């Protein structure tokens, strides 16, 4: 069978081996090729910036931002627009040529750093894609690092949008990208670089947490309406809070309400957004249900980042993208870091649309980021000491289309009544509307926010370790049963491993990009494991009486 592409960066990759004809996500082979080429030129310019830093030169902030946005653009379900990706490749080549002229010995740099864009780009992409690394274990480690860096780029990009930068994170990201071109590095050296990626993952998540809370305040316990009002609306999906803020400002007094979808739900937890009376609530569920939910919403939809599902014709003319997101035939709202974006086209279209069609009613509760949970620390510690709370279960991560993900709903239902779920990311939509009750007033589902807010779960665990006077974070009564889908989940995993967390269960399948030998390293050193049947896992986590 002819192979038209190769991509295995997400959990839904075909047969848990790799997409070779067309992406399960809907990505076409020519787009996959140009994404491979964009990653390649990003590695090339990173080799140049790393060499310049070694010679004492400073790298302009706009170059750091260019590389970060390049990687974010290639995250699963973010950008399907070939022309937009081609434009980023050209911009990167132009910037690299300028920087390359300042390198004392360019001949010592890898070929990716010296390539000027000549030749057939489709052929070049075939030569530099994932399978260009022949050794299976080296390839696996290089991709694991690259996907972690893609996740790190997402955190950095959101912080950058709020005018927060961390030069150490940018320097590492580029050094690590360049290192994936270095054929002299051994598997052991790449394993060490993988762990270092986790270290900077923690730092990048801390940067974003600081950016969000500085701009919008600490998330607080909030009840979010999941019904609809009578006004026309605009639906905002993705993750970028700055985009949401600009849209809320521009829709004031227009008679148009703004709703969140999927990963934007946690925006309701921030105090700064509560001043907008037209910030109406959350509509729908996780990203993969958008085809039905975007259709019934009736008004314009703004995708600020991933996750885009190729749209139906019935609402494609209402789908807008911005930032790293893109889809051919959909209008893209331009605007870089520090620039105001003009959302007037969405507002004008919204005013011609009927109100959203109601698909559910009620409220959901969230806002349990680290500041809020630590404010409840005395109550939580007392519940643990009294035995009212026996265990916490971290069920963070991603949701997805696979039927096997119903496991997480059934797992949440089966949990003993003396357990509390800690969550972040869209995985919560598998159980955040279940009536799981509370323990002494503490909800049994504590939602810290987006996948971007997974840092909160690490902070909470470290604080509990301190409060209980434990030497090892693994002595806490915490189970990790994490669902993954794309590359932000990869950096969260690496961050947890760097912090010393062991015995993480990852599902619904282990990543296809882990070779047997690399998977063995993770199993032997960190106790990484997959999931089984719900009944089996209950016995594993809670004993025979579960």
């Amino acid at each position: 069978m002819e192979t038209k592409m190769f991509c295995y960066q997400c959990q839904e990759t075909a047969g848990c081996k790799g997409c070779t004809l067309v992406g399960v996500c809907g990505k076409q082979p020519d787009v996959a090729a140009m994404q491979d080429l964009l990653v390649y030129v990003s590695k090339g310019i990173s080799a140049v910036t790393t060499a310049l830093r070694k010679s004492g030169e400073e790298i302009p902030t706009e170059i750091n931002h260019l590389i970060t946005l390049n990687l974010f653009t290639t995250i699963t379900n973010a950008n399907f627009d070939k022309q937009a990706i081609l434009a980023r490749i050209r911009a990167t080549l132009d910037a690299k040529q300028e920087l390359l002229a300042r390198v004392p010995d360019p001949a010592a740099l890898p070929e990716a750093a010296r390539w000027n864009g000549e030749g057939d780009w489709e052929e070049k992409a075939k030569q530099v894609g994932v399978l260009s690394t022949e050794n299976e274990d080296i390839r696996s480690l290089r991709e694991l690092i690259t996907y972690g860096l893609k996740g790190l780029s997402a955190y950095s990009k959101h912080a950058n949008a709020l005018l927060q930068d961390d030069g150490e994170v940018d320097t590492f990201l580029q050094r690590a990208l360049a290192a994936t071109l270095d054929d002299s590095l051994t598997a052991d050296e790449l394993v060490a670089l993988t762990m270092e990626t986790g270290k900077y993952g923690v730092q990048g998540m801390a940067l974003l947490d600081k950016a969000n809370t500085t701009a919008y305040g600490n998330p607080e316990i909030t009840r979010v309406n999941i019904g609809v009002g009578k006004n026309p609306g605009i639906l905002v999906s993705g993750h970028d809070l700055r985009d949401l803020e600009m849209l809320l400002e521009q829709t004031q007094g227009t008679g148009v309400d703004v709703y969140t979808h999927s990963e934007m739900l946690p925006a309701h937890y921030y105090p700064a957004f509560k001043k907008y009376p037209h910030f109406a609530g959350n509509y729908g569920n996780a990203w993969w249900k958008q085809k039905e939910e975007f259709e019934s919403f009736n008004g314009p939809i703004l995708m600020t980042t991933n996750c885009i599902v190729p749209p139906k014709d019935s609402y494609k003319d209402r789908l807008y993208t911005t930032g790293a997101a893109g889809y051919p035939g959909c209008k893209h709202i331009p605007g870089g870091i520090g620039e105001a974006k003009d959302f007037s086209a969405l507002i004008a279209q919204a005013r011609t649309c009927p109100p959203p069609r109601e698909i559910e009613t009620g409220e959901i509760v969230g806002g349990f980021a680290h500041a809020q949970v630590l404010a409840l620390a005395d109550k939580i510690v007392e519940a643990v000491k009294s035995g009212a709370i026996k265990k916490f279960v971290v069920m963070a991560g991603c949701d997805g289309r696979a039927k096997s993900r119903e496991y997480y709903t059934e797992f949440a239902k089966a949990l003993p009544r003396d357990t509390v779920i800690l969550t972040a990311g869209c995985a919560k939509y598998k159980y955040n509307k279940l009536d799981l009750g509370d323990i002494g007033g503490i909800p049994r589902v504590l939602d810290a926010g987006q996948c971007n807010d997974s840092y909160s779960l690490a902070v909470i665990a470290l604080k509990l370790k301190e409060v209980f006077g434990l030497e090892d974070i693994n002595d806490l009564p915490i189970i990790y049963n994490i669902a993954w889908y794309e590359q932000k989940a990869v950096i969260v995993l690496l961050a947890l491993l760097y912090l010393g967390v062991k015995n993480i269960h990852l599902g619904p399948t282990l990543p296809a990009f882990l070779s047997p030998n690399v998977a063995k390293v993770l199993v032997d050193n960190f106790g990484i494991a997959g999931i089984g049947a719900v009944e089996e896992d209950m016995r594993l986590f809670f004993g025979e009486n579960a």
Side-chain angles (χ1 to χ4, degrees), residues 288-308:
W288 61 276
K289 288 192 172 181
Q290 66 188 250
K291 283 194 172 184
E292 309 90 75
E293 293 172 352
F294 286 3
E295 190 169 53
S296 64
F297 183 76
N298 294 328
I301 305 106
L302 176 65
M303 296 298 305
T304 63
T305 64
N306 58 314
C307 298
I308 300 172

Side-chain angles (χ1 to χ4, degrees), residues 327-338:
Y327 196 87
C330 293
K331 304 176 193 72
H332 186 80
I333 306 298
I337 291 167

